[in-house]
Amino acid sequence: MWDTLWTDIHVATADPTLISEQDGYGCIHNAAIGIENGRISWVGPVCDLPDVPSNLAYDVRSGQGLWMTPGLVDAHTHVIYAGDRSLEFAERLNGTSYAEIALKGGGIVSTVNATRNVTEKELFDITARRVHRMIAEGTTTLEMKSGYGLTLQDELKQLRVARAIGAALPVRVHATFLGAHALPPEFRGRQDDYVTHLISDILPQAAKENLIDSIDGFCENIAFTPDQIERLFIAASDLNIPVRLHSEQLSNSGGTKLAARYGALSTDHLEYVVEDDIIDLARAGTVAMLLPGAFYFIRETRIPPIDLFRKHNVPMGLATDCNPGTSPSVSLTGIMNMACTLFRMTPEETFSAVTRIGAQALGLQNIAGTLAAGQVADMLLWDITGPHELSYWIGGRRPIHRIFDGKLAPVV
């Protein structure tokens, strides 16, 4: 039945079976949640609690009338890196574009060099400090990409760090291979050869070591073409590994159509996506992962077509896109606020975006992202007036209790 019972709580479940036009959060007031072996065994109004055998011993915890939500899902991050790119922030404020910085050897490549020059242990320690901050902000499921190594040794180093973070810290980790992030200096002028290297050498070894949960690529006019990304997607299909894609951030380059054709879990950024692409996403069931942190930080002016996503019922996710060049953010609640103020999303939409839809973007919707029977008991207790308040504060809103895998876990 349960080994832990939480009572005296209000619950925002994010459960689609409870969400309605009147209540976009799936709320249950005066609720209780039963947990057994790390999973939710019962959730509902406390007045509907089933009779419990008198000899059943279990731990009862009071939520003191506060709000319980699912743990937050950060489904797009580049948090595994070394080095510092704060100077680029100043350059952009002095008129240099993101594309110009990348073309002159800065941007991603500068982080690649720094990441290559640290040991695996050093990279773990650097990354763990950032992840601790994410955990403190409410993240319980975290996508972590490679893409700052771009050699066999260094891509595997990043992916091993992702696995090690998941083993050492109270956070559920989804590791993504993003070898097609940038062209490394040693392959300058040989972009097709580099894609071949990814497919023939790095991807098979990473898959052999069970280091990959999905494969991503950067399909853009300053990165890789749809034809090159398709070669990578074919290789991923042969290995039965799901795909995702950075697309339509700086231009419409055709990546979204490609991603939809291959049934991608998500396509991410999408400032320059058009309606025909969105129709393809709807047919494929692909999540539109929106990243307002990057939009804000690089001072983009073209807003993703939120109304078209709504029109075609494309699920909208949100993530921090935590990275050193364009989104130095660890706060999903801060991202929720940006999505409301910059993209005009509703608080209800942003709540779903960082819970059940975030989980869907990682293929984890059957275990995470909602408070429902059978789901893992990753939960947050907040001292708030209601779930709408999570998108009100501009970051820094932290849960007072964090339950991970059914057990109380440190917030910090």
Side-chain angles (χ1 to χ4, degrees), residues 193-213:
D193 290 345
Y194 176 62
V195 175
T196 298
H197 174 54
L198 293 177
I199 294 168
S200 300
D201 302 319
I202 304 181
L203 178 56
Q205 186 61 35
K208 180 181 177 181
E209 296 186 26
N210 193 31
L211 297 176
I212 305 175
D213 298 312

Side-chain angles (χ1 to χ4, degrees), residues 33 92 108 125 167 252 263 270 334:
I33 298 178
R92 281 198 295 272
I108 292 170
D125 291 342
N252 189 289
L270 300 176

Side-chain angles (χ1 to χ4, degrees), residues 223-234:
F224 295 90
T225 68
D227 287 345
Q228 291 165 338
I229 294 295
E230 184 167 22
R231 292 176 57 200
L232 187 64
F233 280 7
I234 290 170

Side-chain angles (χ1 to χ4, degrees), residues 243 258-266 284 286:
V243 299
L258 173 68
R261 194 162 73 247
Y262 280 85
L265 291 173
S266 71
T286 297

Side-chain angles (χ1 to χ4, degrees), residues 265 356 359-370 375:
L265 291 173
R356 65 180 180 85
Q360 180 183 343
L362 301 178
L364 297 175
Q365 64 269 30
N366 291 329
I367 65 167
T370 59
Q375 300 288 82

Side-chain angles (χ1 to χ4, degrees), residues 344-355:
R344 301 297 189 265
M345 290 176 69
T346 68
E348 293 87 349
E349 286 172 331
T350 68
F351 181 76
S352 291
V354 299
T355 53

Side-chain angles (χ1 to χ4, degrees), residues 281-355:
L281 293 182
R283 289 172 179 158
T286 297
V287 170
M289 183 58 60
L290 308 180
L291 305 170
F295 176 95
Y296 163 82
F297 199 75
I298 67 173
R299 298 192 294 174
E300 179 58 76
T301 57
R302 182 164 176 141
I303 297 173
I306 304 299
D307 285 339
L308 289 177
F309 294 133
R310 291 172 178 148
K311 174 183 175 182
H312 295 288
N313 296 313
V314 172
M316 292 182 287
L318 292 169
T320 61
D321 191 19
C322 176
N323 76 77
T326 64
S327 189
S329 171
V330 296
S331 173
L332 271 175
T333 56
I335 293 298
M336 293 167 72
N337 177 271
M338 287 185 187
C340 290
T341 56
L342 300 177
F343 294 170
R344 301 297 189 265
M345 290 176 69
T346 68
E348 293 87 349
E349 286 172 331
T350 68
F351 181 76
S352 291
V354 299
T355 53

Side-chain angles (χ1 to χ4, degrees), residues 29-52:
H29 294 269
N30 302 315
I33 298 178
I35 300 170
E36 185 174 18
N37 297 325
R39 289 187 178 258
I40 297 172
S41 58
W42 192 90
V43 58
V46 70
C47 61
D48 291 342
L49 270 172
D51 292 334
V52 178

